[in-house]
């Protein structure tokens, strides 16, 4: 089965929204520093662009969690593949995720991180797909709410491909 990608959100639209999120986060954290946790692999593209637009002091770390494998459907089983390198005790934490889909993975992750001694833990997602939600998760900052389509680009992949697209696209499968 062949696939093609149709543009959903242009590179310009994505960049403009990330700039707005950076300004909002900078205002809300004025006078503080934040510890940004990028969720690998997909969230790294968004996290790097967002961090460049935050004007308060930023430190970064990464986590890798998995619930998809090579499928387009979440398995529902969350496993931590790479844990944090630094302690969260006393830090203002901002988790940066590429997409909130069913909510299972990020809900699990947020609860895990809240138990690690941070002052607060907030969530920023580039994309939110509320139609797919099975666990109630609310992000503090959202780039775009999108329809229930399988999307790629800006870090999101299909079987490890398309992460490098500078826009958000919908994968269309041709039979």
């Amino acid at each position: 089965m062949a696939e093609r990608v149709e543009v959903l959100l242009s590179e310009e639209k994505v960049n403009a929204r990330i700039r707005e999120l950076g300004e909002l986060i900078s205002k809300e954290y004025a006078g503080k520093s934040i510890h940004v946790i990028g969720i690998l692999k997909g969230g790294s593209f968004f996290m790097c662009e967002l961090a460049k637009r935050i004007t308060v002091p930023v430190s970064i770390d990464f986590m890798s969690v998995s619930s998809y494998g090579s499928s387009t459907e979440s398995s529902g089983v969350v496993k931590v593949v790479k844990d944090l390198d630094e302690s969260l005790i006393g830090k203002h934490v901002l988790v940066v995720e590429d997409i909130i889909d069913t909510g299972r993975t990020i809900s699990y992750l947020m609860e895990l991180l809240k138990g690690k001694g941070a002052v607060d833990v907030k969530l920023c997602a580039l994309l939110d797909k509320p139609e797919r939600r099975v666990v109630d998760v609310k992000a503090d900052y959202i780039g775009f709410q999108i329809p229930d389509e399988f999307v790629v680009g800006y870090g999101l992949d299909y079987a490890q491909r398309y992460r490098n697209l500078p826009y958000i696209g919908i994968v269309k499968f041709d039979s």
Side-chain angles (χ1 to χ4, degrees):
M1 177 176 3
E3 77 261 2
R4 58 190 161 75
V5 178
E6 295 178 359
V7 176
L8 174 65
L9 298 165
S10 70
E11 181 177 5
E12 295 75 24
K13 199 175 223 181
V14 172
N15 286 334
R17 183 63 182 139
I18 293 172
R19 190 169 27 264
E20 291 169 1
L21 289 170
E23 290 170 4
L24 178 62
I25 291 165
S26 297
K27 283 180 191 161
E28 291 191 16
Y29 284 96
K32 302 173 185 168
S33 61
I34 55 176
H35 189 65
V36 177
I37 299 173
I39 306 304
L40 298 171
K41 295 177 183 169
S44 62
F45 288 71
F46 174 44
M47 187 211 73
C48 289
E49 292 303 314
L50 180 64
K52 288 192 291 188
R53 291 162 175 88
I54 295 174
T55 58
V56 298
V58 171
S59 58
I60 64 168
D61 204 343
F62 293 95
M63 282 189 85
S64 181
V65 293
S66 176
S67 68
Y68 279 83
S70 292
S71 173
T72 61
E73 292 290 323
S74 173
S75 66
V77 177
V78 180
K79 84 176 180 187
V80 175
V81 179
K82 183 220 173 288
D83 208 343
L84 298 170
D85 293 329
E86 297 181 32
S87 167
L88 300 183
I89 295 172
K91 295 180 180 176
H92 295 280
V93 173
L94 180 65
V95 177
V96 177
E97 178 67 294
D98 53 3
I99 189 168
I100 304 173
D101 194 339
T102 64
R104 283 188 191 109
T105 303
I106 200 63
S107 174
Y108 171 84
L109 185 59
M110 293 298 286
E111 288 309 308
L112 179 71
L113 294 173
K114 285 176 183 175
K116 292 188 178 260
V119 174
D120 54 46
V121 180
K122 292 189 176 182
L123 174 61
C124 180
L126 179 59
L127 304 173
D128 184 22
K129 200 188 291 186
E131 290 175 50
R132 301 255 310 145
R133 200 80 83 244
V134 296
V135 176
D136 187 31
V137 175
K138 299 262 189 290
D140 299 280
Y141 311 98
I142 294 174
F144 301 93
Q145 205 170 79
I146 62 167
D148 185 12
E149 299 277 359
F150 194 81
V151 292
V152 294
Y154 227 93
L156 293 133
D157 74 296
Y158 171 63
Q160 297 299 329
R161 293 187 323 239
Y162 305 117
R163 286 189 197 279
N164 61 316
L165 296 176
Y167 57 86
I168 304 296
I170 299 171
V171 177
K172 298 288 186 175
F173 296 95
D174 302 320
S175 37

